[in-house]
Amino acid sequence: MSAADKKPLIPPSHITIKIKSQDDICVYFRIKRDVELRTMMQAYSDKVGQQMSAFRFHCDGIRIKPNQTPDELDLEDGDEIDAFVDQIAGFSHRH
Amino acid sequence: MEVDEVEEKADMGNGLFSEVVSMKNGSLRVDECSQGNSSSLVVNRPVTDVTSFEAYRKVLQSAENRTSKLKDRGFGDILKERGRALLRSLFSFSFWKQDKEPVEDVQREAFLTLSREEETAVNRAFSANDSNILVAHKNSNIEITGKILRCLKPGEWLNDEVINLYLVLLKEREAREPKKFLKCHFFNTFFFTKLFNSGTGYNYSAVRRWTSMKRLGYHLKDCDKIFIPIHMNIHWTLAVINIKDQKFQYLDSFKGREPKILDALARYFVDEVRDKSEVDLDVSRWGQEFVQDLPMQRNGFDCGMFMVKYIDFYSRGLDLCFTQEQMPYFRDRTAKEILQLKAE
């Protein structure tokens, strides 16, 4: 909130990105267009108390790498990123 | 004398064929056991040719089953050649030459053995450090570390990374040789999670942008088959939108049935076609099939490998002609293909 107070308008160099969990819980981040998404991914992981390696960040079904920037991905203000959780399976319990 | 023998063989084949057909409801077997040339062969030729094809396929399959263990020691080719010679004496050569190649090539490629160097490379990769990045696939942004690849070792459960990268490689394989493989779309393992949320249910808009023309370069409705891997907690299964045969299929290596998944996909496909092509598609007559005649899992860890191979074989236009016994081979082969970033 304090950051927003100081800068009531979002400068054009920044965008707001929504990270959505598989349970549809959203966390919002304001980031610079030319900065790697790694910091945002790390911040999200810290916030939900998981290791970053447990998440697969996707935008419209395409995997995002931590070293990509919003500019590279053509992300726009308000865009949504999915934080999918790693999947592993091998067995079925059927009784 | 020779004629009698051929006829007897044909009758036998005929019996087998109709038995299989009745098990799988009508023309299903025909549609799935072969692609392209061979599929039109089965449909258009007189009955004797159908039986010849089926008989040949079964003989070859049984020959391959018997020789798989000997292959390593170099006996495989000799036995296979003897089998071929026998078959050549049963059928006229002109027919043989015309029809043998596509079927055999497609099936043979599904079971190519690894060279010694490839096996060494796979074993070395299996013992790589956890965080060591073994391969990075540029377009999909997927990186495979030692830890992730190890899910392909015997007894391990498959993870999303390996499956999703492999599906990308299958799409690249199709792009390399479009005539050889069916036109398919391979959704990643997260698609269904997104489409059908356990809390909020079906949500088309969540995946609407996944399949834009700009992104794919084609419309889903123009594919032959669309594969949807399903992650069910601790089990991998597969759903298929089979456009070619107008049906929705569900394949579970434990033969489970999930009509809700197929209902959601039917709804998805209608929504998708309406959104991208502005056409109202009527799927009310499309069938729902819970495939029962499939290779079954006999342990507590191979379901992911079964799912991947259902996709691989279907995209080749092949019948699901493999068993549990081949899973260790498929694991090694998949590891090899991932390390080379190329599916054969």
Side-chain angles (χ1 to χ4, degrees):
Chain A
M1 222 22 222
S2 63
D5 289 336
K6 281 175 203 162
K7 294 182 217 164
L9 291 170
I10 303 171
S13 60
H14 286 65
I15 52 171
T16 304
I17 295 289
K18 171 165 77 177
I19 297 192
K20 199 178 206 176
S21 75
Q22 273 172 227
D23 310 323
D24 282 351
I25 296 165
C26 300
V27 181
Y28 293 82
F29 293 90
R30 184 171 301 162
I31 53 170
K32 279 183 91 170
R33 290 174 187 274
D34 57 353
V35 168
E36 289 189 356
L37 292 166
R38 183 187 312 276
T39 36
M40 181 182 75
M41 293 176 179
Q42 190 61 60
Y44 175 82
S45 308
D46 293 345
K47 192 174 174 66
V48 297
Q50 295 268 354
Q51 296 233 329
M52 202 169 113
S53 60
F55 292 108
R56 319 281 187 241
F57 295 97
H58 281 71
C59 182
D60 295 335
I62 303 283
R63 183 70 172 273
I64 301 172
K65 271 175 35 170
N67 63 356
Q68 291 180 301
T69 67
D71 271 346
E72 273 176 61
L73 295 165
D74 283 333
L75 287 181
E76 289 166 16
D77 192 49
D79 272 354
E80 187 176 299
I81 286 177
D82 291 305
F84 294 122
V85 184
D86 56 348
Q87 300 167 323
I88 185 162
F91 189 64
S92 169
H93 286 303
R94 291 191 184 279
H95 302 291
Chain B
M1 194 55 207
E2 197 182 320
V3 172
D4 284 343
E5 209 175 316
V6 170
E7 272 180 24
E8 196 184 313
K9 199 82 189 165
D11 282 339
M12 212 178 82
N14 212 351
L16 278 169
F17 188 67
S18 49
E19 201 178 301
V20 173
V21 164
S22 61
M23 267 170 63
K24 297 189 70 182
N25 294 333
S27 61
L28 171 64
R29 179 69 164 208
V30 175
D31 296 332
E32 284 176 1
C33 66
S34 46
Q35 78 170 103
N37 299 337
S38 41
S39 130
S40 60
L41 153 83
V42 172
V43 176
N44 297 332
R45 281 183 177 264
V47 176
T48 48
D49 286 355
V50 174
T51 56
S52 308
F53 168 74
E54 273 299 303
Y56 160 68
R57 201 183 63 77
K58 287 186 184 298
V59 170
L60 180 69
Q61 197 177 327
S62 75
E64 286 198 330
N65 287 344
R66 270 189 287 119
T67 55
S68 62
K69 280 176 190 163
L70 293 170
K71 260 180 197 162
D72 293 342
R73 299 177 208 159
F75 292 128
D77 291 340
I78 300 163
L79 283 177
K80 219 162 150 187
E81 194 45 52
R82 272 169 57 192
R84 279 183 202 137
L86 179 73
L87 281 159
R88 267 191 213 107
S89 69
L90 286 174
F91 307 117
S92 82
F93 186 69
S94 61
F95 161 70
W96 180 262
K97 195 177 177 188
Q98 207 181 344
D99 301 314
K100 173 190 79 163
E101 301 300 340
V103 183
E104 165 157 328
D105 273 1
V106 173
Q107 183 150 329
R108 189 177 54 86
E109 283 174 13
F111 296 101
L112 285 180
T113 45
L114 274 68
S115 71
R116 192 162 294 174
E117 293 78 32
E118 288 165 344
E119 276 181 12
T120 312
V122 167
N123 287 331
R124 195 182 305 135
F126 278 157
S127 52
N129 282 339
D130 269 7
S131 55
N132 186 1
I133 296 172
L134 299 168
V135 280
H137 188 267
K138 202 158 182 294
N139 289 337
S140 68
N141 281 338
I142 297 177
E143 290 177 346
I144 300 294
T145 61
K147 185 182 182 184
I148 288 167
L149 189 79
R150 268 195 284 285
C151 79
L152 286 168
K153 284 178 80 169
E156 301 291 326
W157 289 14
L158 259 60
N159 63 44
D160 56 305
E161 302 275 52
V162 157
I163 293 171
N164 288 329
L165 177 52
Y166 191 71
L167 296 179
V168 172
L169 298 182
L170 289 186
K171 187 63 196 176
E172 290 179 354
R173 174 178 83 178
E174 178 198 313
R176 269 197 320 270
E177 297 181 86
K179 282 183 185 164
K180 207 159 136 186
F181 301 97
L182 296 186
K183 188 171 168 55
C184 299
H185 182 73
F186 307 87
F187 275 117
N188 68 31
T189 56
F190 298 107
F191 170 77
F192 196 75
T193 312
K194 193 74 185 161
L195 173 71
F196 197 89
N197 187 303
S198 51
T200 50
Y202 176 88
N203 182 4
Y204 175 71
S205 64
V207 294
R208 192 179 70 82
R209 285 163 54 164
W210 286 42
T211 48
S212 64
M213 186 66 173
K214 188 180 157 204
R215 176 157 288 173
L216 299 186
Y218 53 86
H219 284 310
L220 285 194
K221 73 171 175 53
D222 299 325
C223 292
D224 295 319
K225 294 186 179 189
I226 301 167
F227 296 105
I228 302 104
I230 309 284
H231 181 246
M232 302 176 81
N233 200 10
I234 54 166
H235 190 36
W236 289 111
T237 63
L238 175 69
V240 186
I241 302 177
N242 185 338
I243 300 164
K244 204 168 152 247
D245 305 321
Q246 303 208 334
K247 61 186 170 188
F248 301 93
Q249 293 170 292
Y250 187 73
L251 292 88
D252 178 344
S253 50
F254 280 122
K255 296 194 183 178
R257 291 162 180 261
E258 296 290 339
K260 273 186 186 168
I261 290 177
L262 295 189
D263 289 344
L265 288 175
R267 196 172 158 193
Y268 166 76
F269 194 51
V270 171
D271 284 346
E272 170 70 7
V273 173
R274 186 182 298 133
D275 181 68
K276 302 295 188 298
S277 313
E278 292 175 358
V279 173
D280 277 324
L281 185 72
D282 179 15
V283 293
S284 59
R285 282 192 213 154
W286 287 35
Q288 273 199 1
E289 184 194 13
F290 300 93
V291 179
Q292 296 296 295
D293 181 16
L294 45 60
M296 271 189 79
Q297 179 182 358
R298 307 272 177 208
N299 58 32
F301 46 82
D302 270 333
C303 64
M305 204 63 240
F306 273 92
M307 179 192 75
V308 162
K309 282 296 148 181
Y310 295 153
I311 299 175
D312 176 29
F313 276 61
Y314 270 1
S315 70
R316 292 175 192 270
L318 277 179
D319 206 354
L320 302 174
C321 50
F322 56 87
T323 66
Q324 171 69 62
E325 283 168 33
Q326 276 132 353
M327 289 302 133
Y329 157 68
F330 285 143
R331 281 174 175 269
D332 278 354
R333 178 186 169 136
T334 307
K336 179 211 102 176
E337 292 179 324
I338 280 178
L339 290 171
Q340 298 181 348
L341 291 178
K342 186 183 178 190
E344 301 282 355

